[in-house]
Amino acid sequence: MSTQAPAPADRPGTSVGSRAPGDTRRGLTSFTQNRLFWPVAALVLLVVANTIKNPGFLGVRLQDGNLFGATINILRNGAPLLLVALGMTLVIATRGIDLSVGAVVAISGAVACSFIASSPDPTSVTTVLVAVGIALTLSFVLGVWNGFLVSVLGIQPIIATLVLMTAGRGIAMLITNGQITTVNSPPFKTIGSGFFLGLPVAILIAGGVFALVAVLTRRTALGMLIESVGINPAASRLAGVKARNIVWTVYAVAALFAGLAGLMISSNVMAADANNAGLFIELDAILAVVIGGTSLAGGKFSLSGTLVGVFVIQTLTLTVTMLGISPSVTPLFKAIVVIAVCLMQAPVVRKKLAARRRRKASEAGTDSTSARTEVAA
Amino acid sequence: MTTPHDAPPVVEMTGISIEFPGVKALQAVDFTLRAGEVHALMGENGAGKSTLIKALTGVYSIDSGRIVVDGQEQEFSGPGQAQSAGISTVYQEVNLCENLSVAENIMLGHEPRRAGAIDWRATRRTAGELLTRLNLNIDPASSLSAHSLAVQQLVAICRAMVVDCKVLILDEPTSSLDADEVAQLFAVMRSLRDQGVAILFVSHFLEQIYEISDRMTVLRNGQLVGEYRTADLPRLELVSKMIGTSLEVLEELEEAPKRSVAERPDTAPLVQAVGLGRKGSVQPFDLDLYEGEVVGLAGLLGSGRTELARLLAGADRADSGLTRIAGALARLRTPRAAMQHGIAFSSEHRKAEGIIGDLTVRENIILGVQADRGWARRLPRKRADEIVDRYMTALDIRPANPDALIRNLSGGNQQKVLLARWLATAPRLLLLDEPTRGIDVGAKAEIQRLVAQLAADGMSVVFISAELEEVLRLSHRIAVMRDREKIAEVTNNENVTVSDLVELIASGGQHR
């Protein structure tokens, strides 16, 4: 986030919470300058492409009182990734990174499925609730471990979380005895593929968590303190911010969300696959965060950006499938979108574009108001 | 120098204008730099000094005007082009690689090669020759981190000499050097000047300007005030040209924070440090701080004055001694703990330990209060606006836009925002480490006046500054530091002079 056009209106994360009302910049320039512009443009482009190929793409139909359709699928399949990416956004905002979320997804699913499979009454709601409780508690504890390594011992985040990333799938294998543990439990199935009030439960859970995080970070001072720690940890500490606790908390929260995602993923297939559940989800989550405009250098973060990032990745995955291309090629398309969006957000490119606009504007004899905002030092 | 008037101009800038949205940073400024002179660029923060330098070094492209370097008209569109035209810059913050050797730092990017590989022997030899040329006795093979900031600065200058340098720009090179180091730097500058290099020098220290410069160009509000020979322009006149006020007003400003030697209040001390110390940082010291009193810490850079303040602020943890606050034992293990006892600490490192660059002025001001309240109890918007408005007006923070990012503000205004952050927490003890370093005369006087006012209102203030005059002018009591030890305590009165303090520092005081 080191571009030179940092007027408050450009701040990511403005969707929730009040921001400076005094900003008067309007018009197309400020619209395209918005950090969310290019990710949203990519998303719209994907949707349009899909609609051309398949005119019914945006259609949503009601069946047995429940909603179905391609868009609903995108939302539902994207729910676990959104959960993981939300946690990742907070971690990245503190200058960190969490590589272990995929492993936590596997562990959480393994614990829940093993508990349900070995319980005398796998179909009872109580069993499922206990299983969910155990899985989430364990995920949270794993996050506390990550946070301890990073915030107390001061180990670099990438190394600290690499420990659990490597060990985590082994732990999951131990829990499942190396087998793919299948369960048959309708209440558990509800988490991943059930419906409530016509909407998939997974969407409701992910939406609820998103709203919760948004309120917690933007309606309280948590967001500002996280950003402050991410931008300048030393200065934040001297200003009295509990930097260590904040960093510790975000890792715990990231793992908790990953655990929830793990429940969703295993519930979707009614099985715990220690090897493949949530494989590479940490990378997708990091991509979603980056596409959403949150800098890996920490500091300002955008939850709505992350949301858009998740949608872009999910829509892309679906598009590739719908076009009849082998899903194994999907990563290539992801790479293309990522590089395109990142290029459009790169300070160098933005500066070049701004310079071109300025030249055009001055040729037209008008005053460009949004180019250089840097005050003479 | 003989007659710098007659020396051929190396750089001629005419009619330079640069405009940012809403700000005319430079308006038709002329600037001439001649070979073999030290030319000081003078002006307050925001006068356009940095912009002019950035125009000359190709960082900014100019909107109108001409830049002629060595007889050739130039249109720089990047720092690389300016460098190849023979213009080198050494910035305030040393940007070298601490983990590389001195030789590697000097030669980085210009290493002699043999058969495609770097010829390390030649690299070290060339670096050694350059160091010798500047009369510097530094081992080229030693690691840069082993050297003091001053030596690193000299290495940075040496690095600038690798390319055939005609113009050397030194932007605030002395702001963190002590007197000896400044002398060393000046020796190097003089030797370069005598070799025909044109040196452009920016500093806030008037003494240094008068010591080293041959000529100066004064800017104000992006406009040229004039070019003068240093010998022809008395200090006070220079300052009045810089800030655009008449001499009389200025004299008044200088006198305003006249030292106010008050009787020590007849109460118990607010903060009492007994045998407080930390190994390798500062020797155990005793210090009593009273309400309504300014205690100055005098000492050279590295004398332990900052370390002393950091212990009181909880920024570093003491490993011996204890602190009493209002008579009760207090454990100052973290800055937050100190804050809850009403102790605020403004670090000398404004960028690294003060501002949160990517946050707005508003957020930077309320950060301290908010941190104190915890994340859950967000400062209500209305209350935050009140605080921000109050301090932005009281401290005259510019631009008066609370939504501006703090990193876009000038140094003096950033300092004021930090002061606002601390004042908003309503501290009982305010520890100010170099609050006036690197800021312009006007802002400096304002901050000095503010410190005097805060003490008069009953706050206890610890004031640290490398400028002894400033310490003397503001403090009721002065603790003298040397070699990480508090060596003396002086009650200030009209008879105490700067040379008394210097003598104390030099002699080592009366050891207890």
Side-chain angles (χ1 to χ4, degrees):
Chain A
M1 302 240 139
S2 57
T3 52
Q4 298 207 333
D10 279 356
R11 292 183 44 130
T14 50
S15 66
V16 183
S18 56
R19 284 297 171 208
D23 188 80
T24 51
R25 289 203 277 127
R26 280 183 209 92
L28 198 65
T29 22
S30 81
F31 188 60
T32 55
Q33 289 259 306
N34 193 302
R35 286 207 154 261
L36 275 183
F37 177 79
W38 290 109
V40 169
L43 184 59
V44 169
L45 196 73
L46 280 171
V47 170
V48 168
N50 274 297
T51 317
I52 292 169
K53 169 92 175 135
N54 170 11
F57 180 77
L58 283 174
V60 173
R61 65 185 191 283
L62 202 63
Q63 188 177 316
D64 304 332
N66 296 330
L67 293 171
F68 288 92
T71 41
I72 299 291
N73 277 340
I74 290 173
L75 292 180
R76 192 178 66 185
N77 296 339
L81 179 58
L82 176 58
L83 289 174
V84 173
L86 281 175
M88 190 69 80
T89 308
L90 300 182
V91 169
I92 286 177
T94 63
R95 284 192 179 181
I97 198 136
D98 189 347
L99 297 181
S100 72
V101 283
V104 174
V105 163
I107 292 175
S108 162
V111 168
C113 288
S114 300
F115 181 84
I116 293 171
S118 62
S119 79
D121 185 12
T123 55
S124 93
V125 176
T126 326
T127 308
V128 172
L129 285 180
V130 173
V132 167
I134 294 173
L136 291 184
T137 310
L138 181 59
S139 306
F140 187 76
V141 169
L142 292 173
V144 169
W145 161 255
N146 279 337
F148 174 76
L149 293 183
V150 174
S151 69
V152 180
L153 299 188
I155 300 175
Q156 286 176 351
I158 195 162
I159 300 298
T161 57
L162 195 60
V163 173
L164 189 55
M165 180 192 183
T166 321
R169 293 202 181 265
I171 296 173
M173 289 294 266
L174 275 179
I175 295 169
T176 59
N177 286 324
Q179 309 289 315
I180 293 182
T181 308
T182 54
V183 291
N184 186 7
S185 164
F188 187 59
K189 197 173 167 56
T190 312
I191 301 174
S193 32
F195 282 87
F196 183 73
L197 298 175
L199 275 171
V201 173
I203 296 181
L204 294 174
I205 293 177
V209 170
F210 180 86
L212 185 74
V213 174
V215 167
L216 270 182
T217 54
R218 297 301 181 196
R219 287 292 172 196
T220 71
L222 192 59
M224 183 182 98
L225 296 183
I226 287 176
E227 289 179 344
S228 142
V229 169
I231 295 166
N232 192 341
S236 302
R237 177 173 169 269
L238 283 182
V241 179
K242 288 182 180 171
R244 171 189 289 185
N245 290 7
I246 285 180
V247 172
W248 202 336
T249 309
V250 294
Y251 282 93
V253 165
L256 179 68
F257 289 173
L260 193 53
L263 291 176
M264 251 178 217
I265 290 172
S266 60
S267 145
N268 221 350
V269 292
M270 292 307 281
D273 182 347
N275 275 327
N276 295 312
L279 193 62
F280 298 138
I281 200 170
E282 62 276 341
L283 300 185
D284 273 352
I286 295 170
L287 284 187
V289 174
V290 170
I291 290 176
T294 300
S295 160
L296 285 178
K300 297 286 183 61
F301 64 91
S302 164
L303 295 176
S304 38
T306 297
L307 185 70
V308 174
V310 168
F311 288 161
V312 168
I313 289 177
Q314 279 306 318
T315 313
L316 189 67
T317 312
L318 190 80
T319 311
V320 173
T321 318
M322 293 209 345
L323 292 177
I325 303 169
S326 158
S328 49
V329 193
T330 312
L332 179 65
F333 289 91
K334 273 186 201 164
I336 293 170
V337 171
V338 166
I339 201 131
V341 171
C342 291
L343 266 183
M344 297 314 293
Q345 289 177 339
V348 178
V349 179
R350 286 166 77 90
K351 219 187 258 175
K352 284 244 161 79
L353 287 176
R356 244 178 70 183
R357 244 194 327 270
R358 201 165 47 234
R359 213 171 308 134
K360 271 187 191 155
S362 61
E363 274 164 19
T366 55
D367 206 24
S368 163
T369 51
S370 57
R372 284 186 284 182
T373 50
E374 196 173 2
V375 180
Chain B
M1 277 321 292
T2 45
T3 48
H5 269 300
D6 306 325
V10 183
V11 173
E12 267 188 299
M13 301 172 84
T14 34
I16 304 294
S17 294
I18 291 185
E19 199 170 331
F20 300 112
V23 186
K24 286 184 176 151
L26 286 180
Q27 296 177 60
V29 171
D30 300 338
F31 176 71
T32 309
L33 191 59
R34 296 165 187 82
E37 72 168 355
V38 174
H39 195 125
L41 190 54
M42 305 297 298
E44 292 208 289
N45 290 322
K49 293 183 308 242
S50 302
T51 315
L52 188 69
I53 288 177
K54 283 178 179 166
L56 180 56
T57 53
V59 177
Y60 292 156
S61 50
I62 53 175
D63 292 340
S64 65
R66 260 161 53 94
I67 303 178
V68 177
V69 179
D70 227 9
Q72 273 188 311
E73 182 159 357
Q74 300 279 1
E75 255 189 76
F76 297 137
S77 59
Q81 290 181 4
Q83 257 178 36
S84 46
I87 300 173
S88 292
T89 318
V90 175
Y91 291 102
Q92 187 171 1
E93 275 96 23
V94 179
N95 31 14
L96 296 174
C97 309
E98 286 218 328
N99 49 353
L100 297 183
S101 74
V102 169
E104 284 168 316
N105 267 296
I106 293 175
M107 301 301 293
L108 196 67
H110 308 279
E111 296 92 346
R113 281 164 193 275
R114 203 170 53 188
I118 292 175
D119 184 348
W120 288 111
R121 197 174 299 165
T123 301
R124 272 194 293 277
R125 195 181 54 234
T126 320
E129 281 163 9
L130 284 163
L131 289 167
T132 322
R133 194 177 140 199
L134 299 184
N135 298 323
L136 295 174
N137 188 18
I138 305 169
D139 178 10
S142 58
S143 164
L144 185 73
S145 58
H147 296 291
S148 69
L149 200 61
V151 171
Q152 295 186 14
Q153 200 108 46
L154 296 172
V155 169
I157 294 176
C158 204
R159 173 171 165 68
M161 305 314 300
V162 174
V163 288
D164 179 30
C165 164
K166 300 187 193 83
V167 177
L168 179 63
I169 300 173
L170 298 171
D171 192 357
E172 292 274 356
T174 57
S175 60
S176 43
L177 306 189
D178 68 25
D180 284 350
E181 294 166 335
V182 169
Q184 201 180 357
L185 173 73
F186 282 3
V188 167
M189 286 170 67
R190 288 195 186 99
S191 117
L192 285 173
R193 177 185 66 188
D194 296 343
Q195 291 167 31
V197 177
I199 299 176
L200 175 56
F201 180 63
V202 178
S203 169
H204 278 104
F205 298 106
L206 293 187
E207 300 300 323
Q208 298 179 357
I209 297 291
Y210 276 91
E211 189 185 334
I212 189 79
S213 74
D214 305 305
R215 198 193 304 268
M216 53 179 77
T217 293
V218 182
L219 299 178
R220 188 173 68 233
N221 294 331
Q223 282 166 319
L224 178 70
V225 177
E227 193 199 71
Y228 311 92
R229 298 202 56 170
T230 307
D232 300 343
L233 192 67
R235 264 154 240 228
L236 217 49
E237 211 170 302
L238 165 66
V239 174
S240 90
K241 286 191 193 306
M242 281 165 61
I243 64 179
T245 11
S246 69
L247 286 177
E248 296 73 41
V249 176
L250 198 69
E251 270 159 4
E252 216 169 284
L253 196 73
E254 284 274 293
E255 293 298 305
K258 193 75 189 160
R259 71 173 107 159
S260 41
V261 185
E263 284 302 302
R264 176 182 298 179
D266 202 18
T267 51
L270 172 69
V271 175
Q272 213 179 355
V274 184
L276 203 64
R278 179 181 159 91
K279 278 203 188 68
S281 152
V282 59
Q283 301 279 331
F285 63 89
D286 297 337
L287 186 65
D288 291 350
L289 301 171
Y290 293 85
E291 284 176 337
E293 190 189 40
V294 180
V295 172
L297 295 188
L300 301 175
L301 198 77
S303 62
R305 47 178 211 232
T306 295
E307 288 77 4
L308 188 154
R310 288 181 70 92
L311 286 188
L312 289 174
D316 293 333
R317 218 172 275 184
D319 52 19
S320 67
L322 49 89
T323 320
R324 283 201 198 88
I325 294 173
L329 207 61
R331 285 159 65 82
L332 308 174
R333 293 163 59 84
T334 59
R336 187 179 166 82
M339 263 176 80
Q340 279 163 346
H341 282 107
I343 299 176
F345 169 60
S346 171
S347 165
E348 63 180 324
H349 303 294
R350 200 162 49 222
K351 281 219 173 80
E353 297 186 336
I355 64 166
I356 313 283
D358 277 339
L359 291 187
T360 62
V361 169
R362 175 203 310 280
E363 288 168 320
N364 269 284
I365 291 178
I366 63 168
L367 184 66
V369 180
Q370 185 62 66
D372 195 32
R373 292 169 66 99
W375 65 268
R377 293 195 306 136
R378 185 183 194 211
L379 195 67
R381 179 76 188 193
K382 219 177 121 194
R383 178 96 184 78
D385 282 345
E386 275 169 25
I387 292 178
V388 172
D389 281 352
R390 190 163 122 224
Y391 287 105
M392 287 193 77
T393 318
L395 301 181
D396 191 22
I397 293 168
R398 283 186 215 166
N401 172 12
D403 295 316
L405 292 190
I406 190 169
R407 64 180 158 89
N408 292 340
L409 268 58
S410 67
N413 280 304
Q414 288 181 353
Q415 189 65 53
K416 288 189 202 166
V417 171
L418 292 179
L419 274 174
R421 178 194 291 170
W422 297 119
L423 293 180
T425 65
R428 290 192 288 173
L429 169 61
L430 184 58
L431 304 160
L432 297 173
D433 194 356
E434 296 274 12
T436 58
R437 180 203 284 172
I439 66 177
D440 62 69
V441 192
K444 201 165 178 170
E446 280 177 57
I447 285 174
Q448 291 175 357
R449 219 172 358 204
L450 183 75
V451 168
Q453 185 59 44
L454 289 171
D457 292 346
M459 199 181 281
S460 174
V461 182
V462 170
F463 187 83
I464 303 176
S465 172
E467 287 178 59
L468 294 176
E469 293 85 358
E470 197 180 29
V471 173
L472 207 53
R473 196 180 319 152
L474 282 171
S475 314
H476 301 126
R477 205 146 45 91
I478 298 164
V480 182
M481 306 287 298
R482 176 185 143 134
D483 296 339
R484 308 192 172 276
E485 197 177 354
K486 183 183 156 201
I487 54 168
E489 203 172 296
V490 181
T491 304
N492 197 2
N493 57 44
E494 285 85 357
N495 303 324
V496 183
T497 62
V498 169
S499 47
D500 292 344
L501 292 180
V502 172
E503 217 163 283
L504 264 176
I505 292 169
S507 70
Q510 312 94 325
H511 276 276
R512 275 161 294 164

